[in-house]
Amino acid sequence: MFRLDDRVAIVTGGFRGIGRSLCVTLASQGARVVAVDVLDEDVGHGTVVEAKDAGGQVELLRCDVTNEDAVFEAFEGVKKRLGRLDILVNNAGIARDMLLMRVSAEDIEKTFAVNVTGAIYCAKAAIRPMMRAKSGRIVNLTSVVAELGNPGQVVYGASKAGLIGLTKTLAREYASRGVTVNAVGPGYIDTDMTRNLPEEAKDFMLAQVPLGRIGQPQDVANAVLFLCSDEASYITGQVLRVNGGMYV
């Protein structure tokens, strides 16, 4: 169940954090995974090792998702080298947290360039081979902040809300071609970013989670795996919320 044997998957932002768990989980279920990231490949070494330990295969590919030409070149290279492209997980993202009065034009432009424009470029590069195959899975990583809101995350929240609109529109555009497009909305997840929060901020966030625990990257990866699988073939245009009940 939820096997991805012989599928080729691209996961952006795959060198660390939630992206690493996504790559390892998809690879462990038989997918040939290409982890795409702007970071140095040394950062992604752990992804390769963990995937191998799980019985899977991940290769690393450096690429800036905000550069359209670089994205198309990278995706075309994957298609030529591996023969197909079945799955795209748009996970690359950044957060510049501050109140509206402190937000600069550069903060807005950079956040939307990575979180929204980058996802659009990647979807555009992936959709043609998926259309030809009359099959494909695109999963966009949004956030509970997109639907719940959070003071100090106005730009991040707006960008992640944009991914929900992208998801629903692409789902309608390509359903007739056998391509499903869904989103996963993580809540309070144990990552490097959340570990660095002040203790009072952690306590406040945890108090908003009815299940009473912080989520793990694996919780997110399990949801993405399901949406990439044949078992989710009749699901498209949806947001699967992985937030312990923060937003219901």
Side-chain angles (χ1 to χ4, degrees), residues 117-166:
T117 306
I120 293 172
Y121 288 159
C122 290
K124 185 178 178 183
I127 200 65
R128 194 174 298 278
M130 291 181 181
M131 288 172 62
R132 291 192 184 119
K134 297 183 179 179
S135 176
R137 299 282 188 270
I138 297 176
V139 180
N140 300 314
L141 270 290
T142 179
S143 169
V144 66
V145 175
E147 299 182 290
L148 186 62
N150 192 40
Q153 290 192 301
V154 59
V155 180
Y156 178 76
S159 69
K160 289 298 187 176
L163 287 180
I164 295 177
L166 173 66

Side-chain angles (χ1 to χ4, degrees), residues 1-4 7 22 25-26 29 87 89 137 139 180 182-184 218-236 238-242:
M1 201 172 202
F2 306 156
R3 292 293 302 178
L4 302 174
R7 313 281 174 87
L22 296 174
T25 298
L26 297 185
Q29 296 304 307
I87 296 165
V89 182
R137 299 282 188 270
V139 180
T180 67
N182 292 287
V184 169
Q218 189 63 54
D219 294 318
V220 180
N222 291 341
V224 171
L225 171 63
F226 166 65
L227 291 174
C228 292
S229 71
D230 290 340
E231 285 79 4
S233 62
Y234 199 57
I235 300 173
T236 195
Q238 305 304 306
V239 180
L240 181 51
R241 301 176 179 94
V242 185

Side-chain angles (χ1 to χ4, degrees), residues 1-138:
M1 201 172 202
F2 306 156
R3 292 293 302 178
L4 302 174
D5 297 299
D6 301 321
R7 313 281 174 87
V8 173
I10 290 179
V11 179
T12 67
F15 283 15
R16 64 181 181 181
I18 290 175
R20 176 171 294 180
S21 290
L22 296 174
C23 290
V24 172
T25 298
L26 297 185
S28 72
Q29 296 304 307
R32 299 180 67 181
V33 179
V34 180
V36 171
D37 211 306
V38 73
L39 301 173
D40 290 336
E41 289 192 0
D42 288 347
V43 179
H45 179 67
T47 302
V48 175
V49 172
E50 288 186 28
K52 185 177 180 180
D53 290 343
Q57 177 183 346
V58 172
E59 63 178 81
L60 307 178
L61 179 61
R62 288 196 68 201
C63 178
D64 181 355
V65 298
T66 68
N67 183 324
E68 183 177 15
D69 290 339
V71 168
F72 274 77
E73 181 179 349
F75 279 48
E76 184 63 23
V78 170
K79 172 66 168 56
K80 288 181 178 179
R81 189 169 67 257
L82 301 182
R84 57 194 293 171
L85 177 54
D86 305 282
I87 296 165
L88 167 65
V89 182
N90 277 315
N91 169 71
I94 62 170
R96 294 191 174 182
D97 296 344
M98 62 194 74
L99 296 172
L100 176 63
M101 294 299 293
R102 296 183 179 275
V103 171
S104 69
E106 194 271 338
D107 293 324
I108 297 169
E109 292 167 4
K110 182 63 175 179
T111 302
F112 273 80
V114 176
N115 295 3
V116 182
T117 306
I120 293 172
Y121 288 159
C122 290
K124 185 178 178 183
I127 200 65
R128 194 174 298 278
M130 291 181 181
M131 288 172 62
R132 291 192 184 119
K134 297 183 179 179
S135 176
R137 299 282 188 270
I138 297 176

